[in-house]
Amino acid sequence: MNIIVTIKQVPDTNNITIDPETGTLNREGVPAIINPEDKNALEAALTLKEKHGAKVIVLSMGPPQAEKALREALAMGADEAILLSDRAFAGADTWATAYTLSCAVKKIKDYSLIIGGRQAIDGDTAQTGPQLSECLKIPQITYVQDVKVEGDTVLAKSVFGNVRRMVQAKMPALLTVTKEMNEPRYSTIRGIATAYREKKITVWNSKDVDAKPMRIGLPGSPTQVRKTFSPKHEREGKVFAGAPGQLANDLLGVLVDNNYV
Amino acid sequence: MDFKLNDEQLMIQEMARKFAKSELEPYAAEWDEEAKFPRDAVMKMGELGMMGILMPKELGGAGLDMLSYALILEEISAGCASTGVTMSVQNSLFLGPILKYGTEEQKKKYIPDWAKGKKIGAFALSEADAGSDAANQRTTAVLDGDHYILNGSKNFITSGSVADGFIVFAMTDINKGHRGISAFIVENTFDGFQVGSIEKKLGIRGSPTTEIVLDGCKVPKENLMIGEGAGFKVAMGTLDSGRVGIATQALGIAKAAFEVAAQYANVRIAFGKPIGAFQGIQWKIADMATQIDAARMLVHRAAWLKDQGKPFSREGAMAKLFASEVSMNVTKEAIQVLGGYGYCKSHPVERFYRDAKITEIYEGTSEVQRIVIARDVMKQFS
Ligand SMILES: Cc1cc2nc3c(=O)[nH]c(=O)nc-3n(C[C@H](O)[C@H](O)[C@H](O)COP(=O)(O)OP(=O)(O)OC[C@H]3O[C@@H](n4cnc5c(N)ncnc54)[C@H](O)[C@@H]3O)c2cc1C
């Protein structure tokens, strides 16, 4: 079984500030990391590999520097890494990205699962995964917190808001996972050394994956960002009043509605 | 000449830092307070390859070099100095001599489980009357059939009460001075092996330091290292590398103290300003930063020399001497920067100060390092 894990290198937004004037990110000196939920996706793939035996292929579209993210994925235990890198990919929105990834997946050809993180912390759209499954015309299960593989089907627990569903799909299928799913492992020291000394990163450009020029990068992106800005936080706290029992009930209701418990 | 770490080294450093920050630092105060050996954390480090960094892959090690070892140990020691010395003893003082001086059988038997951190190792050289004067051994070993019978006691043994395996030094010929010392691999399950009293200490309280009593301890003769009389060579050769480890531990403690102090100087307000705005504090910060950088360069040079297969005895001693004294000074100054808060257990710098002191003592006191350095320098000018 081959499992493809899609990962994105993102600026560590825990360490980032936004220029209030221009609305752009101050990227200076901000470390680039693997998007956190993509790490959960990789962990899920590695766990399946340990259980069923599988080859885990990490796939990322990004500039040459994204190699570091792929090395880290290899260090955690991925078997192969493919970087989609081409100036022509620049400026892609989620749709162009999904299309580009789908071209690469078609080139990989043999796969049972594609697993990605629910969303990237720099864009927060949660679109690329579902769009990729549409491009490939395969089933998708999103917001996954648990997964089982049996024969040629995948069974996943999907949690959205306070709705929990068990969803079954024929493979190949695509899953997007959330951070609640697992705790990504540390790379071992040996794993890091192997990632740099023994494993290779394959780089593909737009021609390698046979991508149509008008569907990639800026020209292939129907979404255009007109303006970015920091929202002003003007929401006020909510005050509950009443008897203790009622208060506890009200509070619990809010927590449940917001999926905090 | 290149001062830059490569991408692999940077990732190893980042991984170790992340591990130390989330798995050690939050608990280090508790381990110190309760003098608790953090076995679970050490096991996890074993799984990640930190307990056998220089051991070959085929024997379950990580197959890396001394510089990578130093990068990891600095981060681990910054998170918890006690865990730092546990790691250092396992890597340098137990596994190091087995790899360097052991027979093929000894390597196969004793490297894999220890390199993976499933078992813990220790090094038993010191005795009540043999510290700096390590050759003054009283413990004896007498061959009796297939076994050596060891009698005597060892003092101040790091990990003594938790270790499964020990490198033990004993006299096979009491008339030959240091040429009569032999080295043995001893398991805690051997007949006649006992753990004696556990020391109550100023610092590194999460690392148990104990007496080891050998009361007719039966050691299979194939557990002798190299041959009779080679023990002193094993001890000195081992400590050369060990010192680079302790220098790194000292560096890690200093770094941790410095980071707390520098952050504090930016937020503590006195006379209407952050105290870091006062020159008196700035000079401390500048001195600490400079000393730490210099210590790190000495440590990395010694590690690099070892990796190149070049002699590094003098440079290792310099690194240990300097880094341990820097550690003492930086932790002292860090307390000063934090004032009364630094003196109290609500902040970690008082622990760093207590932890730092041992680095000037074990694996050769600062005086002994100066002897090693001076001897080598004088030889050059004689
Ligand atoms: C927490 C801890 C852990 C330890 N772990 C281990 C371990 O795992 N294995 C092990 O074998 N040992 C271990 N030791 C022992 C340690 O290595 C010795 O304590 C150290 O070598 C010093 O020996 P000593 O304590 O006997 O001091 P002494 O040798 O008695 O020294 C006392 C003082 O005299 C000075 N001095 C001695 N000789 C000279 C000289 N020629 N010139 C100038 N000054 C001199 C010393 O520098 C020191 O200041 C540990 C000790 C401690 C405290």
Side-chain angles (χ1 to χ4, degrees):
Chain A
M1 161 162 84
N2 284 351
I3 305 175
I4 298 173
V5 178
T6 52
I7 68 172
K8 182 181 187 186
Q9 191 183 45
V10 293
D12 187 352
T13 50
N14 292 322
N15 286 312
I16 214 164
T17 52
I18 292 174
D19 186 325
E21 301 277 293
T22 60
T24 53
L25 300 178
N26 295 320
R27 282 181 188 247
E28 195 84 8
V30 178
I33 58 169
I34 296 181
N35 177 51
E37 283 181 327
D38 297 351
K39 262 197 179 177
N40 298 105
L42 178 55
E43 178 62 38
L46 295 172
T47 309
L48 286 172
K49 172 182 164 174
E50 282 158 4
K51 211 160 164 200
H52 303 281
K55 186 163 86 181
V56 175
I57 305 166
V58 279
L59 174 64
S60 184
M61 184 181 96
Q65 302 89 282
E67 182 199 315
K68 187 184 167 226
L70 289 171
R71 291 273 178 217
E72 194 181 339
L74 290 171
M76 281 174 70
D79 300 286
E80 286 177 21
I82 300 166
L83 176 63
L84 300 175
S85 205
D86 193 322
R87 275 170 191 277
F89 294 150
D93 67 2
T94 59
W95 181 239
T97 302
Y99 168 75
T100 311
L101 292 172
S102 75
C103 294
V105 171
K106 282 175 188 156
K107 188 173 161 114
I108 296 169
K109 217 156 90 189
D110 179 22
Y111 68 96
S112 304
L113 279 175
I114 300 176
I115 312 181
R118 170 188 53 159
Q119 63 188 32
I121 53 172
D122 58 347
D124 276 349
T125 69
Q127 289 165 356
T128 309
Q131 287 170 340
L132 173 58
S133 81
E134 291 301 320
C135 292
L136 295 166
K137 301 192 170 59
I138 59 171
Q140 54 171 292
I141 311 174
T142 55
Y143 294 76
V144 170
Q145 289 193 4
D146 195 16
V147 62
K148 269 200 205 80
V149 167
E150 274 162 23
D152 63 348
T153 60
V154 55
L155 186 68
K157 182 170 104 182
S158 158
V159 180
F160 187 75
N162 50 13
V163 180
R164 278 146 225 260
R165 298 177 302 164
M166 292 303 295
V167 186
Q168 188 174 314
K170 268 240 165 351
M171 297 197 291
L174 179 142
L175 314 176
T176 72
V177 309
T178 66
K179 61 177 185 297
E180 291 79 12
M181 180 160 190
N182 52 40
E183 187 67 45
R185 67 193 62 192
Y186 290 98
S187 310
T188 65
I189 294 166
R190 184 73 234 134
I192 296 172
T194 308
Y196 279 97
R197 297 177 194 186
E198 291 163 30
K199 292 180 179 170
K200 278 210 182 63
I201 292 176
T202 306
V203 183
W204 285 342
N205 62 24
S206 56
K207 290 206 185 70
D208 294 326
V209 296
D210 215 4
K212 295 194 181 79
M214 285 316 289
R215 293 208 49 193
I216 57 173
L218 207 52
S221 298
T223 330
Q224 270 148 38
V225 179
R226 302 191 62 179
K227 187 181 168 203
T228 51
F229 59 93
S230 314
K232 290 206 179 69
H233 291 292
E234 286 166 344
R235 276 179 298 178
E236 278 174 21
K238 200 166 175 179
V239 179
F240 293 94
Q246 186 57 42
L247 279 178
N249 244 328
D250 292 349
L251 183 61
L252 190 63
V254 173
L255 294 177
V256 169
D257 287 347
N258 287 290
N259 201 28
Y260 292 136
V261 290
Chain B
M1 192 79 209
D2 189 354
F3 287 101
K4 220 172 83 223
L5 297 174
N6 67 31
D7 290 343
E8 177 188 312
Q9 290 160 339
L10 286 170
M11 191 176 286
I12 284 174
Q13 184 181 50
E14 194 180 304
M15 182 279 260
R17 183 175 301 155
K18 215 175 120 194
F19 179 86
K21 289 249 181 251
S22 46
E23 313 280 336
L24 305 177
E25 198 184 287
Y27 315 105
E30 179 192 324
W31 297 335
D32 168 66
E33 187 74 22
E34 293 169 11
K36 182 172 175 258
F37 176 68
R39 187 176 281 277
D40 292 349
V42 170
M43 300 285 274
K44 273 191 208 162
M45 286 165 61
E47 285 162 20
L48 296 175
M50 296 182 188
M51 299 310 271
I53 295 171
L54 290 110
M55 295 302 114
K57 277 190 278 180
E58 310 78 66
L59 291 173
L64 261 72
D65 52 18
M66 194 72 178
L67 186 56
S68 305
Y69 170 65
L71 296 173
I72 298 165
L73 184 55
E74 180 181 337
E75 299 302 332
I76 297 299
S77 302
C80 171
S82 298
T83 310
V85 71
T86 305
M87 175 182 156
S88 177
V89 167
Q90 178 101 353
N91 278 277
S92 316
L93 300 194
F94 182 79
L95 288 167
I98 294 177
L99 183 68
K100 192 166 170 193
Y101 304 111
T103 61
E104 282 312 308
E105 287 70 35
Q106 288 169 349
K107 288 183 201 174
K108 279 203 200 98
K109 184 159 182 203
Y110 290 108
I111 292 181
D113 281 353
W114 275 264
K116 291 181 204 137
K118 291 184 183 161
K119 292 191 171 167
I120 295 183
F123 179 86
L125 175 65
S126 301
E127 298 182 1
D129 292 320
S132 302
D133 185 7
N136 191 36
Q137 298 279 314
R138 295 271 187 269
T139 301
T140 56
V142 177
L143 186 62
D144 178 15
D146 291 341
H147 289 82
Y148 281 93
I149 308 299
L150 272 58
N151 278 294
S153 67
K154 295 284 166 183
N155 223 11
F156 295 143
I157 305 310
T158 297
S159 301
S161 54
V162 294
D164 307 276
F166 295 75
I167 309 291
V168 174
F169 297 85
M171 303 292 285
T172 38
D173 189 338
I174 47 168
N175 298 316
K176 283 198 183 153
H178 74 269
R179 290 201 180 79
I181 302 172
S182 302
F184 300 89
I185 305 173
V186 176
E187 295 183 45
N188 66 342
T189 51
F190 289 175
D191 276 352
F193 176 96
Q194 285 166 38
V195 176
S197 57
I198 300 181
E199 302 292 343
K200 296 196 170 85
K201 306 196 296 293
L202 174 70
I204 56 161
R205 290 165 45 82
S207 158
T209 312
T210 76
E211 185 190 10
I212 295 297
V213 181
L214 302 158
D215 183 9
C217 181
K218 270 180 86 175
V219 180
K221 74 172 195 262
E222 62 271 18
N223 280 22
L224 172 70
M225 301 184 78
I226 311 184
E228 287 191 10
F232 201 66
K233 174 177 141 182
V234 171
M236 293 303 119
T238 300
L239 289 172
D240 273 347
S241 298
R243 278 169 190 152
V244 182
I246 300 308
T248 311
Q249 184 202 18
L251 173 63
I253 300 168
K255 179 175 83 156
F258 171 70
E259 285 175 1
V260 172
Q263 281 161 13
Y264 191 84
N266 271 329
V267 295
R268 173 68 175 174
I269 307 290
F271 302 97
K273 287 183 196 162
I275 55 169
F278 300 116
Q279 205 173 47
I281 298 295
Q282 287 172 359
W283 286 14
K284 286 189 200 301
I285 300 286
D287 287 347
M288 289 188 210
T290 307
Q291 288 166 8
I292 289 171
D293 272 14
R296 186 176 291 115
M297 284 182 196
L298 285 179
V299 167
H300 288 188
R301 178 181 67 167
W304 178 84
L305 282 169
K306 178 169 193 235
D307 289 335
Q308 302 299 312
K310 298 207 162 82
F312 64 98
S313 189
R314 185 210 288 201
E315 290 80 2
M318 285 178 166
K320 191 207 176 243
L321 169 64
F322 189 76
S324 59
E325 294 190 354
V326 161
S327 198
M328 225 28 237
N329 185 55
V330 167
T331 54
K332 181 191 84 181
E333 291 292 68
I335 294 181
Q336 199 65 17
V337 170
L338 271 75
Y341 295 96
Y343 192 75
C344 296
K345 286 186 191 284
S346 54
H347 288 71
V349 288
E350 63 81 30
R351 169 165 49 86
F352 298 149
Y353 181 62
R354 291 185 286 107
D355 285 344
K357 182 61 203 171
I358 189 61
T359 64
E360 292 184 327
I361 298 170
Y362 56 19
E363 300 197 29
T365 61
S366 290
E367 292 75 17
V368 167
Q369 306 307 326
R370 286 186 166 91
I371 295 172
V372 171
I373 297 163
R375 221 181 254 155
D376 198 59
V377 173
M378 300 304 275
K379 205 164 64 192
Q380 197 184 331
F381 287 91
S382 69

